[in-house]
Amino acid sequence: QGDSDEGIDYMFKIVMVGDSGVGKSQLLNRFVKNEFHMKSKPTIGVEFLTRTLVMDHKLVKAQIWDTAGQERYQAITTAYYRGAIGALLAYDITKQQTFDHVEKWLDELRIHADRNILVMLVGNKSDLSSLRAVPVEVAREFAQQEGLFFLETSALDSSNVESAFVGLLSQVYRTVS
Ligand code: GDP
Ligand code: MG
């Protein structure tokens, strides 16, 4: 990134998790660069992107880790999770299987990251409502039972992307400040 940490009051490590193809990289692209690409290329060599926000008159730097697509073929390494204080766990509202795998991702997080990690569950691709497979009420109830925050998002039309990341970061901020 090249930007210094001068003046930064808090640095939070956040990890993106969820099945391959659900839109993790594009959600991050949208949040950090306000960009979206239909043909998503794996982020080679880049482990994380950062964005600095002001919260409560404090400078909060979010260091958000994205996978290089390895979740498709192999396990994510423990280094990825180390020190993470929050996670954005994404599924695709048009693919039931990606929602069924949310529990597996929660187990991964609870094993490899902090047990008390804060999780924002995100049902992405809300722009594809005609192809919806996962009802919003089902996801909301699941999130409530598991103690997760929940929003449906679209990296394509931007809806709720800012709210999902900023919502997670403000909850993290509340727990550490
Ligand atoms: P990742 O494997 O979870 O990182 O998923 P990507 O971010 O690479 O996205 C996978 C595919 O879904 C790409 O073709 C994206 O353009 C597409 N995609 C991502 N987010 C959205 C979205 O909100 N709506 C739609 N319609 N497509 C999306
Ligand atoms: Mg990706």
Side-chain angles (χ1 to χ4, degrees):
Q1 298 290 114
D3 47 350
S4 83
D5 290 341
E6 210 177 318
I8 297 293
D9 296 296
Y10 295 94
M11 165 90 90
F12 299 147
K13 177 176 174 180
I14 305 292
V15 288
M16 306 292 298
V17 288
D19 282 6
S20 173
V22 300
K24 300 182 295 300
S25 298
Q26 292 314 315
L27 284 165
L28 184 53
N29 234 355
R30 178 62 80 190
F31 180 62
V32 171
K33 304 180 187 162
N34 198 19
E35 286 175 4
F36 177 85
H37 302 283
M38 262 304 167
K39 290 218 167 122
S40 204
K41 18 182 191 332
T43 40
I44 298 160
V46 181
E47 293 184 303
F48 57 80
L49 294 177
T50 64
R51 189 173 143 186
T52 302
L53 303 163
V54 180
M55 281 180 184
D56 205 17
H57 306 290
K58 298 273 193 273
L59 275 183
V60 173
K61 186 168 182 170
Q63 185 187 76
I64 310 171
W65 290 57
D66 189 18
T67 72
Q70 65 266 40
E71 72 279 15
R72 185 163 191 171
Y73 307 105
Q74 66 203 65
I76 292 173
T77 62
T78 54
Y80 185 78
Y81 295 107
R82 194 171 301 131
I85 192 163
L88 201 128
L89 201 181
Y91 66 93
D92 176 343
I93 68 152
T94 73
K95 297 216 163 63
Q96 179 67 41
Q97 188 174 242
T98 67
F99 181 71
D100 297 339
H101 290 165
V102 164
E103 259 174 294
K104 186 204 84 167
W105 287 110
L106 279 176
D107 290 344
E108 280 271 299
L109 283 172
R110 285 167 180 158
I111 291 166
H112 299 295
D114 191 303
R115 257 204 86 73
N116 300 314
I117 189 166
L118 294 177
V119 181
M120 172 67 76
L121 178 67
V122 153
N124 191 42
K125 309 198 186 181
S126 61
D127 56 287
L128 300 176
S129 55
S130 60
L131 300 172
R132 176 187 291 278
V134 183
V136 65
E137 309 78 45
V138 171
R140 190 178 290 126
E141 192 165 316
F142 173 82
Q144 205 168 350
Q145 279 168 10
E146 294 285 335
L148 318 173
F149 305 102
F150 170 70
L151 281 175
E152 285 196 346
T153 57
S154 168
L156 187 151
D157 70 16
S158 300
S159 94
N160 274 342
V161 175
E162 188 82 7
S163 307
F165 283 99
V166 174
L168 175 62
L169 288 164
S170 24
Q171 293 296 336
V172 168
Y173 179 81
R174 281 181 48 177
T175 67
V176 303
S177 64

